[in-house]
Amino acid sequence: MILSIPGVLSPDDAHAMRERLDVSDAWVDGRATAGYQGAPVKRNQQIAESSAIAHELGDMIVGSLERHPLFISAVLPNRVYPPLFNRYEDGMHFGSHVDGAIRIVPGHGARVRTDVSITVFLTPPEDYDGGELVIEDTYGVQEVKLPAGHAIVYPATSLHEVRPVTRGTRVASFFWAQSLVRDDTQRSLLFDMDNAIQRLNAQNADDAARRTLVGCYHNLLRLWSET
Ligand code: NI
């Protein structure tokens, strides 16, 4: 399931974050965090993972996502890898790849299985050309370029790339979540079911039927989740 999550950050907060990142001296070659598959095709810059600014801005993003009902319902997060920040300009790009399955949180040692990939766009799309996130999904190829402050979540099992940026600069945050439900199909079914229940709640539909459906949701979650 590929889902866009609007308003993770307000346009003003995204702008303020970008201004902080623009003047940071913590930018390094993006290959610092690439695996053996990603490194040869990765041409971008990243904020050093251990820098104070990465921690501070990353905490703001995770805090905001954890209060976002759509994110919780769609991702069912168990562990979230601390957000990273990247920048593409002057033709920089990231060729087609699949993200590594397991990431170890630096300085902490915790392992995060990457079930869901998340990108939060920080630059308004009118400020740059190219830079589309292209995701190969079971339904075909999706090209994603969202307003500043919006996020896209997609299965980390997907092949994806970032097209060359041919004008301006594209700044984004990217990271991964280990979900309580590892399988994307099961997660999607729970998400659809939760949405349907919310709609029935809003319509004050048949009480007993809603109770049964909510029970099914939780019993499926109990069956499929791991903590
Ligand atoms: Ni990737």
Side-chain angles (χ1 to χ4, degrees), residues 33-208:
T33 59
Y36 71 92
Q37 188 197 195
V41 292
K42 189 174 186 182
R43 296 289 175 273
N44 68 0
Q45 296 173 313
Q46 265 174 223
I47 289 284
E49 274 192 282
S50 54
S51 62
I53 189 171
H55 288 139
E56 186 195 337
L57 302 185
D59 285 350
M60 286 169 64
I61 289 176
V62 172
S64 172
L65 277 172
E66 284 178 343
R67 291 188 299 273
H68 207 301
L70 194 56
F71 177 77
I72 299 298
S73 175
V75 175
L76 297 168
N78 184 2
R79 290 182 206 145
V80 176
Y81 189 88
L84 301 165
F85 295 85
N86 61 15
R87 177 163 77 180
Y88 295 81
E89 56 194 2
D90 299 330
M92 288 178 187
H93 61 280
F94 195 167
S96 188
H97 65 281
V98 170
D99 294 338
I102 307 286
R103 300 204 71 106
I104 297 172
V105 180
H108 187 281
R111 290 180 182 79
V112 176
R113 189 185 62 232
T114 59
D115 295 325
V116 179
S117 295
I118 302 142
T119 294
V120 181
F121 290 79
L122 295 177
T123 307
E126 58 274 19
D127 286 7
Y128 62 99
D129 290 334
E132 297 86 0
L133 173 63
V134 181
I135 304 164
E136 281 187 35
D137 165 90
T138 41
Y139 301 109
V141 172
Q142 318 265 339
E143 280 187 25
V144 183
K145 192 169 181 175
L146 297 178
H150 291 216
I152 189 87
V153 299
Y154 59 99
T157 49
S158 320
L159 264 177
H160 58 280
E161 66 180 296
V162 176
R163 292 237 174 90
V165 169
T166 54
R167 176 186 66 89
T169 301
R170 172 200 195 268
V171 178
S173 176
F174 68 103
F175 51 104
W176 301 270
Q178 177 172 327
S179 178
L180 292 164
V181 176
R182 174 197 296 227
D183 183 79
D184 181 60
T185 306
Q186 292 174 338
R187 231 174 18 246
S188 299
L189 282 169
L190 288 168
F191 178 65
D192 287 346
M193 199 169 182
D194 189 30
N195 279 329
I197 291 168
Q198 297 308 329
R199 280 205 300 280
L200 293 173
N201 284 345
Q203 293 161 11
N204 258 325
D206 184 287
D207 222 24

